[in-house]
Amino acid sequence: MQIKLFHRFLFKQLIFIIYILIFFIYCFTSYVMGAQQKLYEDLFSVTFPNEKVGWTCGRWGCILHTTDGGKTWVRQKSGTDYTLSSIFFVDPKKGWAVGDGGTILHTTDGGKNWVRQKSPVPYFLMKVYFVTPLKGWIVTEQTHILSTDDGGNTWYIQFKDVDLILKSISFCDLFHGWAVGEYGFIYHTRNGGKSWEKQAGKVKISEVTGDIEGGNFLFDVMAISPKIAWAIGIEGYVIKTVDGGKTWREVLTGLRKTQLFCIASNKKGSIVIGGNRTFSSSSDNGQTWKSPEFKPPIQYDWIYGISRRGNSGFVAVGAGGAIYLNTSTFWQRVVY
């Protein structure tokens, strides 16, 4: 009798242990699944046509949208799984996103619906920029500049040159713009792209080592006026022109020698630069620089896109779906 009671006791204890194990397995699985859901796509570009409304894009066709200045974000259906490298909105309704495989997406309803536009080339499209709802440009691999005069219904090759990668393009008005890319190549137009002139850049094969030698790789450009523009690139390289590109001079920012990916400014003289584990800002048109505080820190991450957010500040995006909003004293990561 005692043996039977003892066996029943052991059996109950075994059942209890099994239930405990199931409970812990369930909790662990839920934790892992939750952690996986927090592994967001890398974000490469962000755009805000006004203070409240904005979009960002990244890997696997990811497009996120905010209507409250970046505090909360929702995913939009892009209809593609190609990486999207750049996004630009001219107003809260009309926008474009471009990326791998010659992908050009366009919306006229704020991203509720994205439709594909036809690219004249199958290359990786690096950056899109519009100055009006009809007039825009895209830079690509193989040094192609695409343009449209009808909002993207038709895109055509406006310019092409040696086989390099153009990474960025920026216009300050309908006529004056710059495009930059590999080996320090800089192209400039004064007539809306009817003609492009090379202002900088060099590349050659060393006769001694056989290695490629050239200028610094440029990742982003920012046109301020017909005379003033900034460009940034590898090894903490920052340059500026004040004479329409006749001369480009290096700006000493104190940044370490790492990749700088993005630059943005506002009308008050503030300039922000983001890169690989690096961020710097200036409030006096680039005369002095400082490294603002990020919460959490970005010493193991990178910032790849920055956009002015109306008169409210800036938004920065980057690795692992990171989205940061700047406050009066620091940059705070958004949890969405």
Side-chain angles (χ1 to χ4, degrees):
M1 188 66 165
Q2 290 180 345
I3 294 175
K4 290 184 179 180
L5 290 174
F6 179 73
H7 285 171
R8 288 179 183 176
F9 173 77
L10 288 179
F11 180 77
K12 290 181 179 180
Q13 290 295 103
L14 180 62
I15 295 297
F16 177 77
I17 292 172
I18 291 173
Y19 276 120
I20 292 295
L21 287 173
I22 292 173
F23 174 78
F24 276 107
I25 291 172
Y26 171 80
C27 291
F28 178 77
T29 303
S30 299
Y31 172 81
V32 170
M33 292 300 293
Q36 289 176 345
Q37 291 172 359
K38 296 297 182 182
L39 295 177
Y40 299 120
E41 293 90 345
D42 296 332
L43 300 174
F44 298 121
S45 179
V46 60
T47 178
F48 272 75
N50 60 36
E51 293 185 4
K52 295 295 184 182
V53 181
W55 290 260
T56 182
C57 68
R59 295 195 193 278
W60 307 112
C62 175
I63 295 179
L64 304 176
H65 175 47
T66 180
T67 58
D68 57 9
K71 296 176 182 177
T72 60
W73 297 78
V74 295
R75 185 180 294 267
Q76 293 185 332
K77 294 182 179 179
S78 67
T80 183
D81 59 2
Y82 278 114
T83 290
L84 298 175
S85 56
S86 179
I87 192 165
F88 192 93
F89 272 72
V90 290
D91 59 43
K93 295 296 184 181
K94 302 179 186 67
W96 293 260
V98 303
D100 199 4
T103 301
I104 306 175
L105 304 178
H106 176 49
T107 180
T108 58
D109 57 11
K112 294 178 182 178
N113 296 281
W114 290 89
V115 297
R116 186 153 187 165
Q117 295 183 334
K118 185 177 181 180
S119 170
V121 295
Y123 310 136
F124 203 126
L125 309 182
M126 298 296 179
K127 188 72 174 280
V128 58
Y129 196 97
F130 271 76
V131 290
T132 73
L134 298 178
K135 186 62 177 176
W137 294 266
I138 297 171
V139 291
T140 83
E141 296 175 306
Q142 300 194 19
T143 317
H144 280 57
I145 299 178
L146 313 181
S147 187
T148 181
D149 302 306
D150 58 10
N153 290 325
T154 54
W155 288 90
Y156 59 92
I157 300 172
Q158 188 178 70
F159 174 80
K160 60 182 179 179
D161 200 3
V162 293
D163 185 6
L164 299 172
I165 299 174
L166 289 178
K167 289 292 294 182
S168 184
I169 189 168
S170 178
F171 277 74
C172 61
D173 55 35
L174 278 166
F175 306 103
H176 299 85
W178 282 268
V180 303
E182 281 186 307
Y183 303 112
F185 274 67
I186 301 176
Y187 298 92
H188 178 50
T189 181
R190 297 180 177 86
N191 54 21
K194 292 179 181 178
S195 60
W196 289 86
E197 63 173 322
K198 179 187 169 186
Q199 291 188 332
K202 59 182 179 179
V203 60
K204 67 176 183 179
I205 304 296
S206 172
E207 296 180 358
V208 177
T209 65
D211 295 332
I212 298 177
E213 297 178 350
N216 282 345
F217 197 123
L218 298 174
F219 281 102
D220 201 7
V221 63
M222 177 179 64
I224 303 295
S225 72
K227 295 293 184 181
I228 302 174
W230 293 73
I232 60 170
I234 62 172
E235 297 183 351
Y237 191 55
V238 179
I239 55 176
K240 180 183 179 182
T241 181
V242 294
D243 56 13
K246 294 178 182 178
T247 58
W248 289 84
R249 299 186 182 278
E250 187 171 0
V251 178
L252 300 179
T253 62
L255 289 168
R256 59 194 181 87
K257 302 297 184 180
T258 188
Q259 297 95 331
L260 303 179
F261 295 129
C262 49
I263 184 170
S265 69
N266 62 20
K267 297 179 180 179
K268 297 179 180 179
S270 294
I271 301 172
V272 289
I273 295 174
N276 181 24
R277 300 178 295 168
T278 298
F279 201 92
S280 189
S281 64
S282 171
S283 58
D284 53 14
N285 285 305
Q287 296 182 45
T288 60
W289 297 85
K290 64 178 181 179
S291 296
E293 181 183 7
F294 274 68
K295 297 183 179 181
I298 61 169
Q299 66 263 34
Y300 301 112
D301 292 320
W302 44 259
I303 298 296
Y304 211 90
I306 307 175
S307 174
R308 183 179 69 185
R309 183 166 47 104
N311 296 319
S312 300
F314 297 90
V315 178
V317 300
I323 300 177
Y324 286 91
L325 304 181
N326 73 315
T327 67
S328 58
T329 56
F330 62 91
W331 288 72
Q332 180 66 57
R333 182 163 181 169
V334 176
V335 179
Y336 62 93

